[in-house]
Amino acid sequence: MTTAEEGWRLTHLGRLLGHAMRRFDERVLHLMAHNIDVPLALSNLAARAQISAAHIHITRHLDLRGTRLTELADKAGMSKQAMGDLVDQCEAWDLVRREPDPRDARARLVQFTPTGLLWLQAFKDAVAQAEKEFRSEVGQDIATVVKIGLEAYAGGYGASP
């Protein structure tokens, strides 16, 4: 049983934001798993919870023109090794591929494959649907205030140029 003195640990902003993000990501993955435009193998992986919010980091942070692994890890707030493991999985699922970086022959760029671009479109559609559901659940005015507040709080954190 939680006392009033300990209740702050359950209701502080960071915890609420974490719960909200997990709920949002779970809804996005559910919608993607049921999107008829997602290749069946990926849809099955998502439906069986084999694709996680961690894999969404790649979808969220990979530039259309490609991104170096170290930059991708930085954007996602992950170690290079952890991001490398995710990229390896996504490469095996034909979501991404590694290509030589035209600016530096020693470096490689992670890029979406054609299948990955279908996945990205499904992600975009799922995010739009999840945002619509959020607005419906909390009301348009609150949703607008939440978005403005989060944009102000995040300040450009993780924004791409």
Side-chain angles (χ1 to χ4, degrees):
M1 179 187 241
T2 304
T3 66
E5 188 175 300
E6 296 174 324
W8 67 270
R9 293 187 303 159
L10 302 176
T11 60
H12 68 82
L13 186 58
R15 185 172 176 132
L16 295 172
L17 287 169
H19 286 312
M21 184 168 177
R22 278 188 296 282
R23 179 180 176 189
F24 190 86
D25 284 348
E26 286 171 7
R27 182 63 180 147
V28 166
L29 283 170
H30 174 82
L31 291 166
M32 291 175 75
H34 294 87
N35 184 321
I36 61 170
D37 294 326
V38 171
L40 186 58
L42 292 172
S43 179
N44 286 333
L45 287 169
R48 291 184 318 213
Q50 300 221 326
I51 295 178
S52 69
H55 295 95
I56 295 297
H57 284 312
I58 292 175
T59 310
R60 227 180 237 136
H61 299 291
L62 182 58
D63 294 333
L64 289 177
R65 64 188 179 283
T67 307
R68 289 183 180 179
L69 184 69
T70 51
E71 185 182 351
L72 194 55
D74 286 343
K75 286 180 174 184
M78 300 173 68
S79 71
K80 182 180 172 185
Q81 182 178 353
M83 181 55 76
D85 291 345
L86 284 175
V87 169
D88 288 345
Q89 274 188 324
C90 289
E91 202 168 26
W93 296 337
D94 192 35
L95 289 174
V96 300
R97 66 177 175 264
R98 290 178 172 105
E99 296 288 333
D101 185 339
R103 297 168 293 166
D104 182 350
R106 299 166 298 164
R108 314 251 318 147
L109 288 177
V110 179
Q111 296 180 315
F112 284 112
T113 63
T115 300
L117 291 173
L118 290 172
W119 178 259
L120 180 62
Q121 183 60 50
F123 178 71
K124 180 181 178 182
D125 296 344
V127 166
Q129 178 63 34
E131 286 183 359
K132 181 179 174 185
E133 292 170 4
F134 173 76
R135 286 190 302 276
S136 176
E137 190 168 325
V138 302
Q140 185 64 41
D141 291 345
I142 291 174
T144 300
V145 169
V146 166
K147 185 171 183 179
I148 290 169
L150 290 173
E151 286 171 349
Y153 183 71
Y157 177 81
S160 294

